[in-house]
């Protein structure tokens, strides 16, 4: 049997890994077998794969930060299958935190748990808690609609609404019942400037949001997400459907936005995580594996698995 | 090729792609099937188009002598070969052998050809159509000035114009006093002397001296005088018609209203709700008003009589060739010339150039589209029919679209997808397959006879007032219980559904059902409601065929179409859009209202279009719940509220059936049936095209510019 992946994958690859041989014991593709040959000991991943308890490597510097979102021993089931396993991690205020990990490891699920978008799926069950600004997100008396207004969200595939650019941006205000034209106009301009789209669209605010290019549509969605001045901005692979130039613009934009908002971003692209984020969390099979400042995660990770992953040797 | 290791060395098969695998036969087959379908549809449309559009084209008028020596004048309709037998066959053979048969009078297979002529003149001939064997035709000609008169009654008259006459009735000469039976007179503005005939005639008012002045004599002069005088005659007819319809109709309406008002007071008096004094006052008021109205009526009548006297002076003499008889004013008075105002249109068919012929053609189309039907729907226009059909279609869409969309919204967005919802969905789909006449029966039984009668007369069985009020309290309790149960049973996201919640949800649903049933019962047994139209009883108002019930029946019939289309459109809205909306903090209803519905609008429109097309073309249920051959009062009028949804109406689909198959004069109405069909197809096409262009406009909003 030939070794299928002995070479180092280029770090920029976007494609999900496709194992040529099904891994034994685990249903999720990894490529770990190929690493067995390197002789390194993967204690954490072994523990995860054999369902043994382990301690994620969370760097102490993070715990010293003021956390805006705190995930505490949070687990989530989709019906019978468990997608998140006892995750605990704080998200520092005013910083960009990146979630990385192989496809299907639960990054999106975790992100969508913060604004309870998972509620839309009937089979979802959760245990543990998530705190936003110290108040529990999953308490029974929480107003989910109010909660979502405090957390803007940008999706993998840009999803402008079938309405004008202006209406797209002020949508969060509209559903709040805001009718004053001047307030809407101000909010629209501020959000569009915030998403670096203002100069391009200021003369065509009444055109359909769908008439924009792919990158512009995604920036429109970002404008919509920040229009209501949320406390946290959740971004789920915002660049994965864009070309490199549009991606670059969005990355610049994230840097810009992080001055005003806390950003929690899921990304598949290691370089992107390295470029835009202050902190990075590495997840694997629904568990948090390592979490620390981005520079440390990429240059000096504590676990060999993390090093292997960020250098693209597996995942 | 080795056979040693069959596992490693798969046997080589000959590699030849069979024809079937290339797919050409499938292309031919599918193409052929499509062609067959298209051909059939195109054939149907072409037949309707051709037959429907030639109806109003005026052919020339033929005149000839037939075997028995009589002269026939008529308009050719169609030809066919027929099987001659016996003596006729022998005569044909003899004539053929003698070379005496006119060209073209035999079919290629030797059978004689006959031609159907529209000869009109029903008062004289009895039959307005006549088959003529071509071989019997002699002295064929298309005489100039031969004229086809379209009359308001008794069908067409074909003949030769002779004169235009002015008739005056003067006091009869005294007994024994002589008068000139013939003479000449000059007429103001007409130059030259005119022949005059005088005779003493009996009228309802006693004997009178009738003086006929022949204003124009001879075909040419008569025709041109007719063209000159016809507009005034038509104007007089219009005024009489208007006075009879509008003014007298208005008075009758007022009379009826006054009568009903007093009848209502009487009914209340009988229930002890009105005092004797009030009843007396009402009676006095009614009588005073009735007297007023009768006076008004006499005025109008006098006005009509005056116009009619003037109208009776102007007469037209047109003579048919067979017996030399002129067109009478009515069948019972064969010696009186017809009035000018009885003519709708005079067509001198053999003197028309192309422009004239086109003029007649379009003037007939104009009458057809804008006029009222005449002569048991075999002539005249279909304007009320068109109007009612469009009205019905619009009403039906107004009912069915919101209903269907809301039902689909619940099924798709709110209902928990499961066995029950699937069953409902299957049931809805099956509804589309129920024969439409069944809907008609249901509409008649439920809408007309149950709901309509309830509206007219109120409930037949009532609960005692105390029980009824108890029922209201029960309703409030049930509703409150249902709301509370529903509230307590709300699922907590992220937590499994508790057993308690499930029980609560079920009991909440049952409570809702009970509440709705009780609400219906409270309405049906109310001791406080006596119907809106009981004064009119026993003649029904809503309790009979009507536009509203037809619209509701058709809405029920087309509901599945809208529900299915809407469900599909809603489920085709991308999940990302919904999530984007929820992510912005929108509630479920806001998401539905602002994102889902606008995005699904084109699909919903498709459903509405299909429903409209189906509803507009449906006939069977309408025969039971609303469409009539000739509506005495159309469902629209100039009187408030302008649209009277309780009235029966005329419908193009039913009109086609009526004109085509129920007509007293099928030959005369057959072309109209084609034209009406053409019209119905055009109307449905126009409705659809409007809806489709609207949908295209909506769709353009959702086309993405990216990629
Ligand atoms: N709606 C869902 N229903 C059931 N399982 C789901 C659903 N969404 C995601 N999952 C499962 O949860 C796991 C995590 O998914 P996700 O969070 O989308 O991963 P990631 O975003 O890291 O690629 C996957 O195994 C996926 O199959
Ligand atoms: Mg994902």
């Amino acid at each position: 049997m030939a070794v299928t992946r002995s070479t180092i994958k280029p770090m920029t690859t976007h494609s999900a890994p496709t194992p040529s041989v099904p891994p034994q014991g685990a249903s999720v593709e990894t490529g770990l077998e190929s690493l067995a040959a390197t002789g390194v000991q993967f204690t954490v991943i072994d523990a995860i794969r054999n369902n043994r308890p382990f301690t994620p490597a969370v760097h102490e510097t993070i715990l010293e930060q003021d956390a805006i979102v705190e995930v505490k021993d949070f687990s989530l089931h989709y019906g019978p299958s468990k997608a998140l396993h006892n995750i605990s991690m704080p998200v520092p205020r005013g910083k960009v935190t990146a979630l990385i990990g192989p496809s299907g490891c639960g990054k999106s699920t975790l992100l969508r748990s913060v604004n309870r978008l998972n509620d839309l799926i009937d089979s979802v069950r959760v245990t543990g808690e998530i705190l936003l600004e110290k108040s529990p997100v999953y308490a029974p008396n929480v107003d989910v609609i109010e909660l979502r207004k405090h957390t803007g969200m940008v999706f993998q595939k840009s999803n402008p609404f079938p309405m004008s650019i202006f209406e797209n941006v002020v949508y969060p205000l509209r559903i709040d019942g805001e009718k004053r034209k001047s307030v809407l106009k101000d909010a629209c301009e501020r959000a569009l400037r915030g998403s670096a789209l203002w100069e391009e669209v200021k003369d065509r605010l009444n055109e359909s949001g769908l008439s924009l290019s792919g990158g512009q549509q995604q920036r429109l969605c970002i404008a919509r997400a920040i229009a209501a001045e949320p406390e946290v901005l959740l971004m789920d692979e915002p660049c994965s459907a864009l070309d490199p130039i549009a991606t670059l613009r969005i990355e610049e934009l994230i840097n810009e936005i992080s001055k005003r908002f806390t950003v929690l971003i899921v990304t598949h692209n290691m370089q992107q995580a390295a470029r835009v984020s202050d902190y990075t969390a590495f997840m694997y099979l629904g568990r948090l594996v390592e979490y620390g400042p981005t520079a440390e995660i990429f240059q000096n990770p504590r676990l060999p698995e993390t090093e292997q992953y960020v250098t693209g040797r597996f995942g | 090729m080795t056979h040693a290791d069959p596992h490693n060395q798969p046997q080589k098969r000959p590699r030849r792609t069979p024809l079937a695998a290339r797919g050409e036969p499938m292309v031919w087959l599918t193409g052929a099937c499509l062609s067959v379908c298209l051909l059939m549809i195109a054939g149907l449309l072409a037949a309707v188009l051709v037959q429907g559009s030639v109806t109003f084209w005026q052919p020339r008028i033929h005149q000839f002598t037939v075997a028995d020596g009589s002269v026939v004048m008529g308009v050719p309709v169609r030809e066919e070969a027929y099987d001659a037998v016996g003596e006729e066959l022998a005569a044909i053979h003899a004539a053929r052998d003698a070379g005496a048969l006119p060209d073209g009078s035999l079919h290629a297979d030797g059978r004689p050809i006959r031609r159907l002529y529209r000869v009109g003149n029903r008062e004289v001939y009895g039959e307005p159509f006549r088959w003529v064997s071509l071989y019997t035709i002699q002295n064929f000609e298309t005489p100039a000035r031969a004229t086809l008169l379209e009359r308001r009654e008794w069908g067409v008259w074909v003949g030769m114009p002779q004169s235009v006459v002015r008739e005056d009735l003067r006091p009869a000469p005294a007994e024994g006093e002589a008068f000139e039976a013939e003479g000449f007179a000059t007429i103001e503005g007409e130059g030259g002397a005119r022949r005059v005939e005088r005779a003493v005639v009996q009228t309802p008012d006693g004997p009178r001296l009738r003086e006929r002045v022949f204003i124009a004599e001879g075909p040419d002069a008569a025709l041109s005088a007719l063209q000159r005088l016809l507009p005034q005659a038509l104007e007089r007819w219009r005024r009489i018609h208007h006075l009879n319809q509008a003014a007298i109709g208005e008075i009758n309406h007022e009379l009826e209203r006054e009568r009903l008002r007093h009848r209502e007071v009487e009914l209340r008096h009988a229930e002890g709700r009105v005092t004797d004094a009030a009843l007396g006052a009402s009676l006095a008021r009614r009588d005073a008003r009735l007297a007023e109205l009768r006076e008004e009526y006499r005025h109008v009548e006098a006005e009509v009589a005056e116009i009619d006297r003037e109208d009776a002076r102007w007469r037209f003499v047109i003579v048919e060739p067979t017996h030399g008889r002129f067109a009478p004013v009515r069948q019972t008075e064969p010696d009186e010339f017809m009035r000018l105002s009885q003519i709708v249109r005079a067509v001198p068919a053999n003197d028309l150039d192309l422009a004239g012929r086109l003029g007649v053609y379009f003037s007939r189309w104009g009458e057809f589209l804008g006029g009222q039907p005449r002569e048991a729907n075999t002539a005249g226009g279909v304007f009320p029919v068109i109007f009612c059909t469009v009205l019905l279609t619009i009403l039906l869409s107004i009912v069915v679209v919101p209903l269907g969309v809301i039902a689909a919204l619940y099924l798709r967005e709110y209902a928990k997808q499961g066995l029950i919802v699937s069953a409902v969905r299957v049931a809805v789909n099956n509804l589309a397959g129920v024969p439409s006449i069944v809907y008609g029966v249901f509409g008649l039984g439920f809408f007309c006879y149950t709901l309509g009668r309830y509206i007219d007369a109120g409930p037949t069985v009532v609960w005692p007032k105390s029980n009824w009020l108890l029922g209201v309290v029960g309703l409030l309790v049930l509703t409150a219980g249902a709301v509370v149960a529903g509230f307590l049973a709300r699922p907590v996201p992220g937590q499994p559904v508790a057993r308690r919640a499930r029980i609560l949800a079920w009991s909440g649903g049952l409570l809702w059902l009970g509440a709705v049933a009780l609400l219906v019962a409270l309405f049906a047994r109310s001791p406080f409601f006596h119907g809106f139209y009981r004064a009119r009883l026993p003649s029904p108002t809503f309790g009979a065929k009507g536009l509203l019930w037809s619209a509701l029946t058709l809405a029920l019939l087309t509901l599945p179409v809208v529900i299915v289309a809407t469900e599909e459109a809603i489920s085709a809205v991308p999940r990302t859009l919904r999530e984007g909306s929820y992510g912005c903090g929108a509630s479920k209803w806001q998401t539905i209202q602002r994102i889902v519905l606008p995005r699904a609008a084109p699909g919903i429109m498709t459903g509405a279009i299909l429903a409209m097309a189906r509803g507009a073309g449906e006939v069977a249920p309408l025969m039971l719940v609303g469409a009539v051959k000739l509506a005495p009062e159309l469902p629209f009028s100039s009187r408030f509220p302008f649209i009277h949804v309780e009235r029966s109406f005329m419908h193009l689909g039913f009109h086609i059936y009526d004109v085509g198959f129920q007509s007293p004069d099928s030959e005369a109405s057959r072309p109209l049936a084609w034209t009406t069909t053409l019209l119905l197809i055009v109307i449905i096409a126009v409705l659809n095209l409007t809806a489709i262009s609207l949908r295209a406009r909506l769709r353009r909003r959702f086309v993405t510019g990216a990629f």
Side-chain angles (χ1 to χ4, degrees):
Chain A
M1 194 189 273
V3 173
T4 51
R5 198 172 297 154
S6 54
T7 51
I8 293 174
K9 221 167 59 179
M11 273 173 51
T12 49
T13 181
H14 283 209
S15 62
T18 40
S20 56
V21 180
Q24 337 134 297
S27 61
V28 176
E29 66 275 15
T30 57
L32 267 189
E33 288 71 23
S34 58
L35 293 171
T38 60
V40 189
Q41 275 292 303
F42 296 115
T43 47
V44 170
I45 283 190
D46 271 353
I48 292 174
R49 296 191 53 194
N50 298 319
N51 228 347
R52 273 187 274 114
F54 71 100
T55 321
V58 178
H59 298 214
E60 293 71 28
T61 42
I62 292 180
L63 302 175
E64 294 155 12
Q65 297 283 328
D66 172 23
I68 186 165
V69 175
E70 272 176 278
V71 183
K72 286 188 172 167
D73 200 25
F74 186 78
S75 302
L76 184 144
H77 291 259
Y78 285 114
S81 72
K82 196 168 184 182
L84 294 178
H85 297 253
N86 306 76
I87 298 209
S88 295
M89 60 181 281
V91 178
R93 184 187 302 276
K95 297 285 181 340
V96 179
T97 305
L99 294 175
I100 61 172
S103 207
C105 70
K107 308 180 295 289
S108 302
T109 304
L110 180 59
L111 198 71
R112 293 156 59 94
S113 300
V114 175
N115 65 351
R116 288 183 61 168
L117 213 52
N118 285 325
D119 288 6
L120 301 179
I121 300 161
D122 283 336
S123 64
V124 165
R125 308 280 167 260
V126 301
T127 56
E129 65 178 357
I130 296 180
L131 304 178
L132 174 66
E133 295 280 23
K134 307 273 179 278
S135 63
V137 164
Y138 279 90
N141 57 350
V142 165
D143 182 352
V144 181
I145 289 179
E146 198 52 38
L147 166 76
R148 290 187 190 140
K149 282 174 184 159
H150 291 281
T151 54
M153 181 136 190
V154 179
F155 296 81
Q156 181 168 0
K157 189 175 178 308
S158 65
N159 53 355
F161 299 144
M163 41 179 91
S164 71
I165 294 173
F166 179 81
E167 288 299 328
N168 256 292
V169 177
V170 301
Y171 186 81
L173 285 80
R174 281 261 190 237
I175 55 177
D176 264 350
E178 182 60 72
K179 289 214 170 65
R180 283 166 296 169
K181 201 77 195 157
S182 58
V183 175
L184 293 176
K185 269 191 179 148
D186 286 351
C188 176
E189 179 170 349
R190 197 159 359 102
L192 283 174
R193 282 190 194 283
S195 67
L197 198 58
W198 176 251
E199 292 303 325
E200 289 158 66
V201 301
K202 66 179 180 207
D203 299 323
R204 41 191 286 213
L205 290 177
N206 286 323
E207 275 175 40
S208 165
L210 295 161
S211 63
L212 299 173
S213 75
Q216 287 175 323
Q217 287 192 5
Q218 192 60 298
R219 276 181 284 149
L220 180 64
C221 294
I222 294 176
R224 187 175 71 200
I226 62 177
E229 303 281 335
E231 272 125 47
V232 186
L233 192 58
L234 308 171
M235 302 178 116
D236 191 352
E237 302 190 28
C239 305
S240 64
L242 300 180
D243 59 76
I245 294 182
T247 302
L248 210 65
R249 297 205 60 162
I250 304 265
E251 285 177 8
E252 284 167 8
L253 181 57
I254 293 171
N255 273 326
E256 197 59 33
I257 282 178
S258 65
K259 292 174 190 154
R260 285 163 57 201
F261 303 101
T262 306
V263 177
L264 185 56
I265 180 172
V266 169
T267 177
H268 227 100
N269 179 335
M270 243 64 71
Q271 286 187 334
Q272 187 174 69
R275 280 194 298 263
V276 302
S277 70
D278 303 307
Y279 299 95
T280 300
F282 169 45
M283 291 175 66
Y284 182 70
L285 285 189
R287 279 87 166 176
L288 181 64
V289 176
E290 182 164 357
Y291 183 25
T294 301
E296 281 186 45
I297 293 286
F298 278 88
Q299 281 145 28
N300 188 18
R302 297 203 182 154
L303 299 176
E305 309 55 0
T306 312
E307 184 183 359
Q308 294 290 330
Y309 183 74
V310 298
T311 53
R313 253 170 266 172
F314 90 92
Chain B
M1 207 188 288
T2 65
H3 295 269
D5 190 354
H7 299 289
N8 281 356
Q9 284 258 271
Q11 207 168 2
K12 280 234 164 65
R13 286 187 299 106
R15 283 177 172 265
R16 203 161 41 76
T17 314
L19 195 57
R22 286 175 202 254
E24 264 85 0
M26 282 325 282
V27 175
W28 300 329
L29 194 66
T30 49
C33 281
L34 181 66
S35 312
V36 169
C37 297
L38 285 183
L39 260 177
M40 287 199 295
I41 294 170
L44 176 71
L45 286 183
V48 171
L49 193 67
V50 170
Q51 298 269 19
S53 49
V54 298
T55 301
F56 296 137
W57 186 253
Q58 179 61 55
R60 298 168 80 83
I61 297 175
H62 297 174
Q63 181 181 323
F64 47 85
T65 317
V66 290
D68 63 3
S70 64
V71 180
V72 175
M73 193 188 261
V75 180
V77 178
R78 62 172 188 274
E79 292 179 356
E80 64 182 31
Y82 68 104
D83 290 309
V85 288
E87 280 177 29
E88 190 182 9
L89 193 63
I92 293 171
H93 286 165
R96 186 186 56 198
D97 297 342
L101 273 186
D103 285 346
S105 59
L106 289 190
H107 193 255
D109 62 10
R111 292 186 301 156
I113 296 177
R114 61 182 179 180
R115 189 182 284 157
L116 183 67
Y117 276 100
R118 180 175 210 188
V119 291
N121 314 1
R122 189 139 47 126
E123 298 98 314
V124 182
Y125 301 158
E127 274 293 322
F129 287 84
R130 177 165 173 181
W131 284 105
V132 177
S133 300
L134 292 192
Y135 73 89
T136 63
I137 289 180
Q138 279 163 6
N139 306 332
F140 180 89
E141 58 175 327
T142 53
R145 310 293 173 264
T147 297
L148 175 116
L149 279 193
E150 291 170 33
R151 302 182 295 174
R152 284 190 207 290
E153 279 162 356
W154 288 93
V156 300
W157 186 278
V158 184
M160 197 57 88
Q162 221 167 51
S163 40
V164 173
V165 177
R166 199 188 73 191
E167 271 188 19
D168 289 294
L169 289 178
R170 303 189 187 290
E175 199 73 37
E177 190 186 329
F179 59 90
E180 270 182 82
E182 298 228 356
F184 290 91
T186 47
I187 300 178
E188 236 177 279
E190 294 262 350
R194 296 289 187 277
R195 193 163 63 85
V196 178
E197 274 180 18
R198 295 192 189 85
V200 174
V201 293
Q202 293 300 325
T203 70
D205 308 329
R208 290 281 186 279
L209 180 67
R210 183 187 64 196
E211 190 179 271
R212 282 175 170 166
V213 182
F214 290 81
I215 299 177
E217 284 193 284
D220 281 319
L223 262 182
S224 62
L226 176 69
Q227 304 297 1
R228 190 158 47 83
L229 295 172
L230 196 54
Q232 299 162 23
L234 292 183
E235 180 54 33
R236 280 194 298 272
W237 179 85
R238 256 195 296 277
R239 276 180 58 203
I240 294 179
H241 185 74
H242 174 81
L243 284 173
N244 278 334
Q245 296 284 309
I248 296 191
E250 182 70 35
I251 293 172
N252 280 335
H253 177 79
E254 282 289 305
L255 281 172
E256 176 73 359
R257 215 171 63 177
E258 206 51 44
R259 199 184 67 76
L260 290 177
R261 192 194 55 77
H262 180 68
R263 174 95 184 106
E264 181 69 37
V265 176
E266 272 180 359
L267 286 170
R268 282 162 188 256
H269 179 256
E271 287 164 2
R273 292 196 285 160
V274 164
T275 62
D276 289 352
L279 180 67
S282 165
L283 185 65
R285 185 189 141 178
R286 184 193 74 172
D287 291 343
R289 187 84 184 104
L290 291 196
E292 254 174 57
L293 287 169
R294 291 216 184 88
E295 186 56 29
E296 223 173 288
Y297 184 84
R298 267 191 291 278
H299 269 293
V300 176
E301 234 180 9
E303 199 178 339
V304 169
E306 189 177 325
I307 303 172
D308 190 63
R309 255 196 308 282
E310 172 66 15
D311 193 57
R313 295 175 72 204
W314 303 92
R315 311 273 179 151
F316 188 57
V317 187
I318 181 166
V319 178
E320 51 85 22
T322 314
H323 310 289
R325 303 267 296 275
F326 55 80
V329 67
R330 55 184 73 86
Q331 200 181 20
T332 50
E333 291 175 50
D335 300 327
E336 291 285 326
F337 303 141
M338 70 181 295
R339 295 187 186 185
L340 279 189
S341 64
Q342 288 179 298
I343 300 170
V344 175
R345 193 178 289 107
V347 186
N350 295 343
D351 304 306
L352 290 176
D353 53 1
L354 183 65
R357 224 166 270 274
L358 282 175
V360 169
Y361 181 75
F362 287 114
S363 129
R364 282 175 177 165
W365 264 110
E367 192 200 354
F368 181 68
L369 295 178
Q372 306 279 334
R374 287 186 278 118
E375 308 223 49
N377 296 347
T378 58
V382 291
F383 175 73
V385 193
I386 300 175
F387 195 91
C388 290
T389 308
V390 173
L391 196 63
L392 174 74
T393 311
I394 291 172
L395 266 181
L396 131 83
S397 333
I398 289 177
V399 176
V400 75
V401 171
L403 210 61
V405 169
I406 289 170
L409 267 184
Y410 186 84
L411 277 182
R412 195 45 84 177
E413 295 281 330
Y414 290 108
K416 192 167 174 335
Q417 303 298 312
L419 204 64
I420 297 180
V421 168
S422 301
V424 169
R425 206 165 275 146
V426 170
V428 164
N429 279 321
N430 280 344
L431 273 186
V434 173
S436 57
I437 193 77
V438 174
Y439 286 94
V441 175
F442 172 79
L444 186 68
F446 180 67
F447 291 133
C448 303
Y449 291 162
T450 308
L451 211 54
R453 274 192 196 158
Y454 176 79
I455 293 174
D456 281 359
T460 41
V461 184
V462 298
W463 286 340
K465 283 180 186 168
S466 53
N467 289 10
W468 192 82
L469 291 173
L470 215 63
V472 173
V473 175
L475 177 66
L476 292 180
V477 170
L478 278 184
T479 315
V483 170
V484 169
F487 186 79
L488 292 179
R490 272 174 320 153
V492 183
Q495 302 301 325
V497 181
R499 213 180 125 72
R500 201 176 66 100
R502 198 166 299 147
I503 294 171
L504 273 172
W506 270 100
S507 45
L510 289 178
L511 284 176
W512 273 124
L513 269 183
V516 170
L518 188 55
L519 184 70
V520 171
L522 284 177
F523 269 109
R525 297 283 182 263
S526 162
F528 300 105
F529 179 60
H530 304 288
F532 292 118
Y533 299 97
R534 61 176 176 163
R536 259 184 227 180
L537 292 172
S539 65
T541 307
F542 275 94
K545 288 176 165 196
L547 184 64
L548 178 65
W549 303 141
S550 302
L552 290 184
T553 306
L554 288 188
L556 207 62
L557 179 96
T558 49
L559 197 59
V561 180
V562 178
I563 291 184
V564 169
T566 307
E567 272 209 73
E568 257 160 39
I570 290 176
S571 54
V573 174
R575 215 182 47 147
T576 54
L577 280 188
R578 290 166 200 262
E579 288 188 341
S581 173
Y582 289 126
C584 287
S587 66
K588 182 146 196 163
W589 172 241
Q590 283 172 325
T591 303
I592 290 175
Q593 179 201 2
R594 290 164 189 264
I595 307 293
V596 176
L597 279 185
R599 177 63 205 236
I604 296 174
M605 281 292 291
T606 307
I609 293 168
L610 289 175
M612 261 164 61
R614 169 118 200 248
E618 194 63 65
V619 179
L622 295 181
M623 287 158 99
L624 295 181
V625 290
V628 291
K629 178 187 174 78
L630 197 63
E633 277 190 303
L634 289 166
F636 53 94
S637 73
S638 53
R639 208 175 287 126
F640 186 80
F642 310 114
I643 305 280
H644 305 273
V645 290
E646 78 280 5
R647 294 189 186 163
S648 53
F649 60 98
M650 298 165 81
H651 183 266
L652 272 174
F654 182 67
H655 198 73
I656 293 169
Y657 169 72
D658 179 62
V659 169
F661 300 97
Q662 304 282 292
S663 168
D665 186 352
S666 63
E667 280 298 345
S669 54
R670 185 202 308 251
L672 272 186
W674 283 108
T675 314
T676 314
T677 310
L678 177 64
L679 188 65
L680 180 58
I681 291 177
V682 168
I683 286 180
I684 293 179
V686 166
L687 284 177
N688 278 358
L689 283 180
T690 321
I692 287 170
S693 70
L694 208 68
R695 180 178 63 186
R697 281 249 295 280
L698 285 175
R699 262 204 194 132
R700 232 169 288 142
R701 278 174 36 201
F702 309 127
V703 177
T704 174
F707 311 113

